[in-house]
């Protein structure tokens, strides 16, 4: 297999970004983009005006070796099922489904069918961020000795459009699945217990739509370390993304990325650039590294153990469900093995 033909499903902001990445990778060939009517202008604006447009996944798969799914979350399971049935390798955006049982059932169905030979990777792109990846390697090599604490800060620069909230699956499933996956990936352990508190402090309309916009989540890892996640739908000062680990030999920190690192000191005070403005700017490298890892897995014919698959997606969503239950019932929730 020379260039791997990839069809991207989804013409929204993240789908367009994925199509741009695939189009510039020498290891891949952008077969085209499956979009809804009216989304063509987004391709033109993104410099993808020459990309072939498909109205249906089946048409796109006729010319593709692999499918990159970046459609709305509620469509992921059926799209994965169709692509796997057609023998196409799959990279699907998180969370795959809003219920862990749906992901478990999908995994069992694919494993028991002729589709079991396809590579299915889930888009937990933060695993591929260079700083987070380095921190993960150091933790796995026990640079801190026994791990005591992990803290993740995950805060969006701006609240999402209100139309997105009812179909998002809720903050824990849409937003914090990244954090739950990162905790497992950083430690190599499962999340054993979760206690979540949430509130509406950014926008009361989010609450009227049935979701929260601010949360603090306390967790216990299966190895005993304690973890916490602080998250908000809006900072107004950039995309705040930080991880800190504390252990018996010291601490590790991965801080925010900024447009530049110059600090200006004057009589008026100190000034530095805000964190990068959005997830595409912040995680540009991680999305490309993720795509390269997927293409390598396709060439190898199997998903390596350190890449996120359906089992990892189910574990993250299961934690999200437990966080929702914890908040609703105001108590810690133990996760079953």
């Amino acid at each position: 297999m020379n260039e791997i033909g990839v069809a991207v499903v989804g013409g929204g902001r993240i789908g367009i970004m994925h199509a741009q990445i695939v189009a510039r990778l020498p290891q891949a060939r952008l077969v085209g983009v499956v979009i809804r009517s009216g989304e063509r202008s987004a391709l033109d604006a993104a410099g993808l005006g020459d990309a072939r447009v498909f109205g249906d996944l089946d048409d796109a798969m006729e010319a593709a070796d692999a499918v990159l799914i970046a459609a709305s979350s509620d469509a992921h399971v059926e799209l994965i099922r169709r692509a796997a049935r057609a023998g196409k390798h799959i990279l699907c955006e998180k969370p795959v489904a809003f219920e862990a049982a749906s992901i478990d059932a999908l995994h069992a169905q694919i494993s028991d069918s002729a589709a079991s030979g396809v590579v299915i990777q889930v888009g937990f792109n933060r695993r591929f961020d260079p700083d987070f990846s380095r921190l993960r390697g150091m933790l796995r090599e026990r640079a801190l000795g026994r791990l005591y604490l992990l803290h993740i800060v995950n805060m969006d620069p701006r609240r999402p459009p209100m139309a997105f909230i009812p179909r998002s699956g809720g903050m824990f499933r849409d937003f914090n699945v990244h954090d739950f996956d990162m905790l497992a990936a950083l430690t190599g352990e499962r999340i054993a217990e979760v206690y979540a508190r949430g509130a509406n402090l950014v926008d009361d309309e989010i609450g009227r739509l049935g979701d929260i916009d601010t949360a603090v989540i306390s967790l216990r890892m299966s190895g005993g370390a304690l973890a916490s996640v602080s998250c908000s739908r809006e900072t107004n000062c950039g995309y705040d993304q930080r991880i800190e680990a504390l252990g018996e030999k010291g601490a590790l920190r991965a801080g925010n990325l900024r447009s530049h690192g110059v600090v200006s000191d004057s009589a008026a005070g100190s000034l530095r650039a805000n964190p990068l403005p959005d997830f595409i700017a912040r995680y540009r490298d991680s999305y490309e590294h993720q795509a390269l890892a997927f293409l390598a897995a396709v060439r190898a014919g199997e998903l390596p153990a350190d890449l996120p698959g359906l089992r990892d997606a189910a574990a993250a969503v299961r934690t999200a469900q437990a966080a929702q239950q914890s908040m609703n019932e105001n108590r810690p929730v133990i996760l079953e093995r």
Side-chain angles (χ1 to χ4, degrees):
M1 186 182 295
N2 294 319
E3 295 176 334
I4 297 170
V6 180
V8 175
V9 184
R13 184 167 58 150
I14 194 165
I16 295 295
M17 177 205 67
H18 281 302
Q20 290 175 317
I21 290 172
V22 171
R24 67 172 179 259
L25 290 178
Q27 300 92 332
R29 171 176 52 87
L30 179 63
V31 167
V33 185
V34 181
I35 60 174
R36 297 188 296 264
S37 59
E39 291 181 328
R40 178 78 223 200
S41 59
L43 293 179
D44 295 336
L48 295 168
D50 294 334
R52 187 175 177 186
V53 171
F54 298 95
D56 182 76
L57 175 62
D58 291 338
D59 293 336
M61 289 193 298
E62 289 182 5
D65 304 301
V67 175
L68 198 161
I69 298 172
S72 59
S73 296
D74 56 4
H76 288 178
V77 167
E78 181 57 26
L79 290 170
I80 290 173
R81 186 178 289 117
R82 289 170 61 188
R85 190 183 302 128
K88 305 302 177 182
H89 303 290
I90 300 158
L91 172 56
C92 180
E93 269 295 332
K94 60 80 191 170
V96 178
F98 296 142
E99 301 297 326
S102 298
I103 306 174
D104 290 335
L106 176 66
H107 184 263
Q109 180 182 13
I110 291 172
S111 298
D112 291 341
S113 72
S116 59
V118 302
V119 169
I120 303 179
Q121 182 177 324
V122 178
F124 287 118
N125 68 290
R126 297 181 190 185
R127 290 193 186 202
F128 301 90
D129 174 81
D131 285 348
F132 293 171
S133 180
R134 181 182 293 273
L135 192 154
R136 176 190 183 187
M138 295 175 73
L139 286 177
R140 293 296 190 91
E141 293 168 3
R142 298 188 60 80
L144 295 184
R146 184 181 183 186
L147 182 64
Y148 299 158
L149 295 170
L150 275 167
H151 182 216
I152 294 178
V153 175
N154 178 12
M155 303 197 185
D156 267 355
R158 297 285 181 186
R159 69 197 76 177
M162 291 302 109
F164 170 73
I165 298 297
R167 56 186 175 84
S168 70
M171 189 171 183
F172 296 129
R173 290 171 173 85
D174 165 59
F175 198 74
N176 295 120
V177 287
H178 277 298
D179 307 313
F180 303 145
D181 180 70
M182 280 301 300
L183 289 172
L186 288 168
T187 61
E189 301 173 3
R190 66 179 182 86
I191 294 171
E193 183 177 355
V194 58
Y195 178 47
R197 297 295 302 269
N200 290 104
L201 303 175
V202 172
D203 193 327
D204 290 340
E205 181 62 20
I206 293 176
R208 284 190 285 271
L209 292 171
D211 200 7
I212 57 171
D213 53 47
T214 308
V216 175
I217 309 164
S218 298
L219 310 102
R220 177 174 55 83
M221 307 306 296
S222 59
L226 301 180
S228 61
V229 178
S230 303
C231 54
S232 172
R233 285 290 193 184
E234 187 166 273
T235 68
N236 285 306
C237 62
Y239 195 41
D240 193 358
Q241 301 285 290
R242 290 171 279 150
I243 298 178
E244 181 174 3
L246 177 68
E248 64 178 328
K249 296 181 181 180
L252 295 171
R253 297 178 183 87
N256 281 313
L257 298 186
R258 305 172 189 274
S259 58
H260 63 80
V262 176
V263 177
S264 171
D265 293 320
S266 69
S270 295
L271 295 174
R272 63 176 178 173
N274 283 335
L276 291 173
D278 56 40
F279 74 93
I280 292 178
R282 170 61 181 84
Y283 287 114
R284 189 184 310 277
D285 289 344
S286 76
Y287 280 112
E288 184 165 324
H289 295 326
Q290 172 183 261
L292 289 170
F294 172 65
L295 295 172
V298 169
R299 291 187 186 279
E302 63 179 357
L303 190 72
D306 63 335
L307 295 189
L310 290 177
R311 291 185 188 277
D312 302 284
V317 171
R318 193 169 287 111
T319 305
Q321 292 174 235
Q324 187 71 53
Q325 180 185 357
S326 171
M327 184 184 72
N328 292 346
E329 300 177 3
N330 192 27
R331 67 175 181 88
V333 172
I334 305 295
L335 281 89
E336 296 180 359
R337 289 185 179 273

